[in-house]
Amino acid sequence: MSELSGKAQSVLGLLDPDQLGRTLTHEHLSMSFEFNYFPPPQGDEAVAENPFQMQHMHWLRQNPYTCMENLRLNEEISAVREELLAYRKAGGGTIVENSNTGLDRDVKTLKQLAKETGVHIIAGAGFYEGSTHSEATKKMSVEKLTDIIVSEVLHGADGTDICCGVIGEIASGWPITESEKKVLKATAHAQAQLGCPVIIHPGRSPAAPFEIVRILQEAGGDISKTVMSHLDRTIFDEGELLEFAKLGSYLEYDLFGTELLNYTFNPEVDMPSDSQRVKILAFLVKEGYEDNIVISHDIHTKHRLTKYGGHGYSHILKNIVPKLLTRGLSQHQVDKILIDNPKSIVL
């Protein structure tokens, strides 16, 4: 482990953390989300069949999961390549790609994209939520799951020698299933061996992040090197958020660019706007948590690419950073969120 200690592991090899630059900690570049398809409402079938037209784009932004084609991001590698070149031109350095087993991870494509664009790409190890677990995965022991995660970091993923650099996104629903609990325990065991970052996708309940931290801690995980994703759709009460922040994980607001009237996966949630996300980041900074914040877009569908009129991977750098600077954050604090904090999570 001495070779990995203090290094970031990209799909092209080990990096000094100072090489990472501005980093998006939760993105997808090649994945499939077809298992989360929702049939369109009655009367919208024709739109769902052919949504990529100007007159249908608002509908698609509000109903992104009711079009099967929209869920196949892995069909847009050429467009993603152009996006990464634009991201680098805008000042971006690194993207943490959170696709793992269950999301059709493609480390060969990630390596090719890194070579062609100059953007550092860090791949994710481990298993997505229980609905994607195969019967074989469900039957595996915690020890076997741990061995697989460790091997993906040390030796390579998916039959290649391309190594992952984080464990994630490790996902669970709510309530957490037994299979998901085993994966969480294996994640903690692997992290204890490797010392590497863990990125969590919590279930859609305010209680989920707390329960996941408890499971990880009891299994020996390092919460100070754990990122709790999707807080912008999970914990809304400021007091509850501060209680969670005290547990010591990184607080990830990673749905920038997503503004939905109705959130398909939990209709009780009112998805915040980007302005509201900026406001909560300013609140967390004011409360003393500027060292614990990371941000991203979690692009995982076609319609969010600029090819289809979406915001793309440069949205935070081009639009959100200037907004943060007008809402009380200093350039130093913004640099912490985009450069220093991601750098501090590395192996």
Side-chain angles (χ1 to χ4, degrees), residues 190-249:
Q191 185 187 43
Q193 291 185 43
L194 299 167
C196 68
V198 165
I199 301 177
I200 296 293
H201 163 117
R204 296 171 180 88
S205 164
F210 291 90
E211 179 65 8
I212 290 168
V213 165
R214 183 190 66 80
I215 293 170
L216 292 173
Q217 283 181 319
E218 290 181 356
D222 183 355
I223 303 307
S224 72
K225 296 192 75 170
T226 297
V227 178
M228 190 59 65
S229 304
H230 312 327
L231 287 176
D232 29 0
R233 57 82 163 145
T234 309
I235 299 179
F236 298 95
D237 181 81
E238 289 184 351
E240 198 168 12
L241 177 60
L242 292 179
E243 282 301 308
F244 180 74
K246 291 176 184 176
L247 299 180
S249 78

Side-chain angles (χ1 to χ4, degrees), residues 47-226:
V47 180
E49 285 291 321
N50 190 18
F52 293 102
Q53 302 179 53
M54 184 64 72
Q55 66 265 37
H56 295 159
M57 291 312 296
H58 176 72
W59 180 92
L60 184 58
R61 283 193 290 270
Q62 296 302 314
N63 300 276
Y65 306 109
T66 60
C67 170
M68 190 65 79
E69 184 183 348
N70 194 41
L71 306 181
R72 300 173 183 142
L73 185 63
N74 51 11
E75 295 178 344
E76 297 290 346
I77 301 308
S78 178
V80 168
R81 181 183 300 109
E82 294 306 309
E83 293 260 1
L84 291 179
L85 290 170
Y87 171 68
R88 188 181 180 197
K89 186 177 180 180
T94 300
I95 283 181
V96 182
E97 217 281 4
N98 280 253
S99 305
N100 55 12
T101 300
L103 292 177
D104 288 353
R105 175 182 55 203
D106 185 350
V107 291
K108 291 181 179 178
T109 292
L110 299 185
K111 183 174 182 178
Q112 190 64 29
L113 286 170
K115 284 181 176 179
E116 293 174 351
T117 67
V119 174
H120 302 304
I121 299 173
I122 297 174
F127 301 83
Y128 196 62
E129 68 182 14
S131 63
T132 70
H133 293 180
S134 66
E135 288 305 312
T137 298
K138 292 176 182 177
K139 293 176 182 177
M140 286 182 190
S141 65
V142 172
E143 291 72 23
K144 177 61 176 176
L145 293 165
T146 303
D147 289 344
I148 291 173
I149 295 171
V150 170
S151 180
E152 289 179 346
V153 174
L154 292 184
H155 306 298
D158 306 327
T160 75
D161 62 356
I162 303 169
C163 296
C164 299
V166 300
I167 304 173
E169 59 184 296
I170 302 300
S172 68
W174 187 258
I176 303 171
T177 68
E178 288 305 311
S179 182
E180 291 167 344
K181 288 178 182 177
K182 285 198 299 181
V183 168
L184 285 167
K185 291 175 183 177
T187 295
H189 293 173
Q191 185 187 43
Q193 291 185 43
L194 299 167
C196 68
V198 165
I199 301 177
I200 296 293
H201 163 117
R204 296 171 180 88
S205 164
F210 291 90
E211 179 65 8
I212 290 168
V213 165
R214 183 190 66 80
I215 293 170
L216 292 173
Q217 283 181 319
E218 290 181 356
D222 183 355
I223 303 307
S224 72
K225 296 192 75 170
T226 297

